Amino acid sequence: MAFEVLEMILSHVRIFPTVLSHIEITRYTRVILGRLQGSSNFSRLTDKGERQAATTHKMLEAEDFDALYHSPLARSSRTAEVVWGSRAGHVEGVAGLREVDLYSFQGLIKEEGKATFREAYVKWQKDPANFEIDGHFPVRELWYRGMLCWHRILTMGEEQSRVLVVGHNAINQAMICTALGLPVTYFRRILQSNAAVTALDFLPCADAAPRVVVDRLNSSPDSPFAKQLGSAGRPTKARLVLVCHAATTDSRSDELLSGTGDEKCSVQGLREAEQTAELLLDVEVGQLVCSPRLCARQTAQAIAAKRGEAAPEVQVETAIDAMDLGDWTGLSARQVRGSSLAANAEAIESVWNRTREVYTRLCAAANRVGTVVVVGHAASHSAMLCQALGVGMDAIPTFRLESASVSIIEFPDGAVDGDGVLRCTNYTSHIMQKDRP
């Protein structure tokens, strides 16, 4: 199928769920590595893979799902079986959820692929959107499959409003990107780790495509700073770690929108700040900046204190200040969810412009020091995630970010000239005894 025809199909397929749909996507767990697996079916889970699947089951054990859709390949089917457990509900293997079709590449040891296909292999590594083999464009076909899978899943109606999808690295990327309207050039810019969970909410809009909100992206059972993790198989040259300030109330369900109010961290918030500081001990931090708000400064100071004498000085950056929410200030997230921004709130364009300027400076700093930790607020962090992906300010509401959450942007080719790769967003697995709304 010609690329232009495929793009036309993707741009005209629209899904209009009549109820809110919450979709959790997870990738199969660990298998024996070293081959270009593609959609071949010879791999099975290792013992570590079984343990990872069991951990993901525990991560999701409090979640209620109406249905499970999974790849029919053995490694994904087994992961789905473990993660789903004894739940009741619709269970279906979907051929479209199989891994990317690599045709003549499939089954080869990676070194064999390099030696046999040379230029094609380089194309697969460097320019996968335009990679062609045996007359096929695997990544373009993958995007088409992802869209068809969404159509299958999201048109089931009210009886399936909370769905679990278990797939593979590449098809999960295609599913996430097509849901967000991102083209095939975003392949390998939305990372999917073994046994990690991505949650998407599809919010219905009258006479329009649903609004997609990323509740969390690539929330892995392992630390997002684990040494074995790279950016799509490549080492990371620079990194921005976006930390939302810790909680200002002692129950997440009671947390209110503070805007530019200068609140301090609650008792629970101080505990969250300590847990976040412990998580960040897994990575060398070259620079630590924070918003001027008290809760952000307290969170940053906890991170610095945990590092002792090796800690960088905490630098206050006014450009990442909280968004003035106007009449929304003091309301809960539940009260305003789905509503238009208060008329007297700071304009989204203002947040975008001040964040864009500081994002450029932070990228330059990351190029020099490796990892920059930024402690701030949901709106400014979401704007920086959008800037990393090269999408516009209209996408700022796409990312849901909770207190003490961690979001990571990696730059395998450097933070000035290279594309940003999202390692994870709204990672909160490090926070114990969470009371999530």
Side-chain angles (χ1 to χ4, degrees):
M1 181 182 295
F3 184 51
E4 292 79 9
V5 176
L6 174 58
E7 289 291 288
M8 181 179 68
I9 290 173
L10 291 180
S11 66
H12 284 84
V13 175
R14 291 293 183 267
I15 303 164
F16 298 81
T18 56
V19 295
L20 182 149
S21 294
H22 178 84
I23 314 292
E24 304 235 6
I25 302 172
T26 189
R27 179 185 174 187
Y28 71 86
T29 48
R30 186 182 178 93
V31 299
I32 297 173
L33 304 177
R35 290 186 182 272
L36 296 162
Q37 294 185 94
S39 56
S40 62
N41 200 24
F42 53 78
S43 293
R44 300 295 184 269
L45 298 189
T46 62
D47 290 342
K48 181 174 182 179
E50 292 281 347
R51 292 194 298 272
Q52 287 176 327
T55 301
T56 303
H57 170 79
K58 292 190 70 173
M59 285 173 60
L60 297 176
E61 63 183 350
E63 301 282 351
D64 293 323
F65 294 111
D66 303 310
L68 164 66
Y69 294 91
H70 64 87
S71 160
L73 302 184
R75 55 195 187 270
S76 180
S77 294
R78 175 56 184 162
T79 300
E81 178 184 6
V82 175
V83 174
W84 186 251
S86 60
R87 290 181 175 92
H90 178 77
V91 176
E92 182 179 339
V94 178
L97 288 172
R98 69 188 183 277
E99 185 57 296
V100 60
D101 296 320
L102 290 177
Y103 303 99
S104 292
F105 268 22
Q106 278 182 189
L108 294 177
I109 295 173
K110 291 181 180 179
E111 292 304 318
E112 292 177 341
K114 292 178 184 179
T116 304
F117 290 93
R118 296 184 182 178
E119 291 183 9
Y121 188 87
V122 171
K123 194 79 167 178
W124 167 241
Q125 292 293 313
K126 301 292 187 181
D127 186 16
N130 294 305
F131 165 62
E132 180 181 6
I133 189 167
D134 299 336
H136 294 269
F137 290 88
V139 178
R140 299 178 190 179
E141 293 175 355
L142 189 71
W143 251 237
Y144 178 55
R145 265 205 280 131
M147 200 69 185
L148 294 181
C149 288
W150 279 130
H151 189 270
R152 172 76 183 89
I153 293 167
L154 290 177
T155 53
M156 296 305 294
E158 293 187 22
E159 67 273 13
Q160 293 187 16
S161 62
R162 294 184 64 85
V163 176
L164 176 64
V165 178
V166 181
H168 307 264
N169 178 15
I171 186 60
N172 285 4
Q173 290 183 59
M175 295 281 286
I176 296 163
C177 288
T178 53
L180 297 176
L182 301 175
V184 293
T185 50
Y186 280 79
F187 184 62
R188 298 199 185 114
R189 293 185 64 186
I190 305 289
L191 298 185
Q192 292 289 282
S193 302
N194 287 337
V197 173
T198 294
L200 305 178
D201 286 337
F202 290 76
L203 308 180
C205 300
D207 301 321
R211 184 167 71 88
V212 181
V213 176
V214 180
D215 180 80
R216 58 192 182 277
L217 175 72
N218 201 34
S219 184
S220 172
D222 298 320
S223 165
F225 302 110
K227 290 183 178 180
Q228 72 270 22
L229 299 177
S231 292
R234 296 183 292 162
T236 297
K237 293 183 179 179
R239 179 192 288 120
L240 295 182
V241 179
L242 310 181
V243 178
C244 280
H245 67 80
T248 54
T249 62
D250 282 331
S251 171
R252 285 177 174 250
S253 59
D254 295 335
E255 189 133 34
L256 303 179
L257 301 172
S258 57
T260 51
D262 208 18
E263 299 183 47
K264 65 180 181 180
C265 292
S266 64
V267 172
Q268 176 174 312
L270 293 174
R271 185 167 60 247
E272 291 178 351
E274 179 77 8
Q275 291 162 346
T276 304
E278 290 176 2
L279 175 72
L280 293 175
L281 289 177
D282 290 339
V283 63
E284 290 186 20
V285 175
Q287 188 170 332
L288 175 58
V289 302
C290 72
S291 156
R293 298 295 141 190
L294 178 58
C295 54
R297 286 186 281 117
Q298 286 182 307
T299 305
Q301 287 160 1
I303 293 170
K306 180 66 70 173
R307 308 185 79 85
E309 294 182 358
E313 179 184 357
V314 177
Q315 303 173 27
V316 174
E317 175 56 72
T318 59
I320 57 171
D321 199 355
M323 180 179 180
D324 185 349
L325 298 175
D327 290 341
W328 276 16
T329 301
L331 301 179
S332 70
R334 289 180 184 274
Q335 288 176 289
V336 303
R337 190 166 293 165
S339 304
S340 298
L341 189 63
N344 60 343
E346 180 182 5
I348 289 290
E349 185 175 6
S350 170
V351 177
W352 180 260
N353 288 337
R354 62 180 169 86
T355 308
R356 180 171 54 185
E357 186 273 333
V358 74
Y359 175 77
T360 301
R361 286 193 280 110
L362 292 172
C363 285
N367 250 22
R368 293 192 305 272
V369 302
T371 296
V372 175
V373 174
V374 185
V375 183
H377 311 271
S380 57
H381 283 357
S382 185
M384 284 190 273
L385 291 170
C386 292
Q387 287 152 9
L389 290 176
V391 298
M393 62 183 175
D394 290 344
I396 288 179
T398 298
F399 297 98
R400 184 173 293 143
L401 303 175
E402 301 177 38
S403 62
S405 67
V406 174
S407 302
I408 303 173
I409 307 168
E410 296 180 342
F411 300 91
D413 296 315
V416 174
D417 300 318
D419 291 329
V421 173
L422 299 193
R423 158 67 57 196
C424 63
T425 67
N426 203 27
Y427 179 89
T428 57
S429 297
H430 59 293
I431 301 171
M432 305 301 174
Q433 300 176 342
K434 298 194 297 293
D435 179 19
R436 290 185 58 174

